[in-house]
Amino acid sequence: MMGGSLLGYAIHAVRPAEYESDAAITVGIDYVETGAMSDTQQDQALNAVGDVIQSPDVINLVVDDSALVGYPVSAEQFQQYGLAQREGYKWVLQVRSPDPEQSEELANLWVERSLNVLQDALTHAELADTYDTQLSGLESCFQAMTTAVPAYVPCNLDSIVQLRSQMASLATQVIAERQASDSILSSMSFNISQQAAVSDTPAIYNRNAMVFAGAFIGLILGIWLNSVGLSERILRSLSRGKV
């Protein structure tokens, strides 16, 4: 078992060193605007941020800019290097690479491009809310114009046909802006709470898992060798007429 542990540690030791750089985006939610949110609703909103951070749009921007900073990578390579993890209201963006400066550059590119795309999504969410409010107002006008009871109609439209046309146009705009918002809420805010720095020490990557795996393999191998030896002794004893 000890030999297996040492083997696992040795395998880890001979692997190329990897350096990790972390950046982070912190998410704010205006609960005055949203009202009370359940834990599930909060998780959905915060996880939507992670979906944007890990989206092809963001990754492609990072890949395009990586060559400009002297560390070109493909989308496939970046997906191997990068990992986004949520910690409460914060998303930590980790990049691991054999080159510590590449890790730092890519992590900072990732967090900056993520912020840009999130801000764009936020703008679309705000427009969707604006159009939705306007649509609600026109719907109220439509109900007032079509009621059987005479009522004051706060609309500057000449006909129901014109009203319906404007309502249809606004409904289309609401749908388009909601889709472009990528489920980001207009009540959210984003800021880069941590910039990546160059790491001067390699990351400990799965060392404990490798040592454990080596120990487990050593244990299984020891049991097997012991059982093989016992079987051979029994066979020798039987061949000699001994029990």
Side-chain angles (χ1 to χ4, degrees):
M1 185 172 177
M2 179 62 71
S5 299
L6 293 174
L7 176 61
Y9 186 87
I11 292 173
H12 173 270
V14 299
R15 289 186 58 182
E18 288 187 333
Y19 297 84
E20 179 181 306
S21 292
D22 298 349
I25 288 179
T26 297
V27 184
I29 299 178
D30 185 352
Y31 291 105
V32 174
E33 183 177 341
T34 64
M37 296 178 70
S38 67
D39 291 342
T40 300
Q41 290 172 323
Q42 290 181 19
D43 284 340
Q44 289 174 341
L46 293 167
N47 288 338
V49 176
D51 291 339
V52 171
I53 289 172
Q54 300 169 86
S55 68
D57 288 344
V58 171
I59 291 174
N60 288 336
L61 287 172
V62 175
V63 169
D64 291 343
D65 289 347
S66 64
L68 300 178
V69 297
Y71 296 103
V73 292
S74 66
E76 292 75 17
Q77 286 175 318
F78 184 75
Q79 288 173 340
Q80 292 176 354
Y81 290 162
L83 175 66
Q85 296 188 97
R86 180 184 154 200
E87 297 179 359
Y89 287 78
K90 180 171 69 175
W91 276 93
V92 179
L93 284 57
Q94 301 175 345
V95 176
R96 285 185 173 183
S97 166
D99 185 336
E101 293 185 357
Q102 182 184 42
S103 308
E104 181 261 343
E105 289 283 1
L106 292 179
N108 281 327
L109 277 179
W110 193 9
V111 77
E112 290 163 6
R113 296 301 167 262
S114 294
L115 181 63
N116 293 340
V117 175
L118 285 168
Q119 295 289 11
D120 287 343
L122 182 62
T123 298
H124 288 294
E126 291 169 346
L127 283 172
D129 284 355
T130 298
Y131 293 145
D132 202 17
T133 300
Q134 293 174 2
L135 179 60
S136 296
L138 291 182
E139 288 171 344
S140 297
C141 287
F142 181 79
Q143 291 176 359
M145 292 177 70
T146 56
T147 183
V149 179
Y152 170 69
V153 181
C155 304
N156 296 319
L157 298 171
D158 296 331
S159 68
I160 290 179
V161 173
Q162 183 181 359
L163 179 58
R164 282 176 170 169
S165 175
Q166 191 164 348
M167 288 169 60
S169 175
L170 279 172
T172 300
Q173 289 176 293
V174 169
I175 292 171
E177 295 299 336
R178 288 285 182 225
Q179 291 176 339
S181 72
D182 291 325
S183 299
I184 297 302
L185 303 180
S186 61
S187 56
M188 284 180 160
S189 60
F190 312 100
N191 71 284
I192 296 176
S193 52
Q194 179 181 338
Q195 290 277 0
V198 176
S199 174
D200 56 0
T201 56
I204 298 174
Y205 186 69
N206 286 343
R207 185 178 69 186
N208 291 341
M210 286 190 175
V211 171
F212 177 79
F216 182 75
I217 291 171
L219 176 62
I220 297 300
L221 184 60
I223 293 173
W224 179 77
L225 290 174
N226 184 64
S227 64
V228 169
L230 179 60
S231 299
E232 289 179 349
R233 287 195 298 271
I234 292 174
L235 289 174
R236 284 198 299 269
S237 297
L238 290 174
S239 65
R240 294 171 183 172
K242 298 179 181 179
V243 181

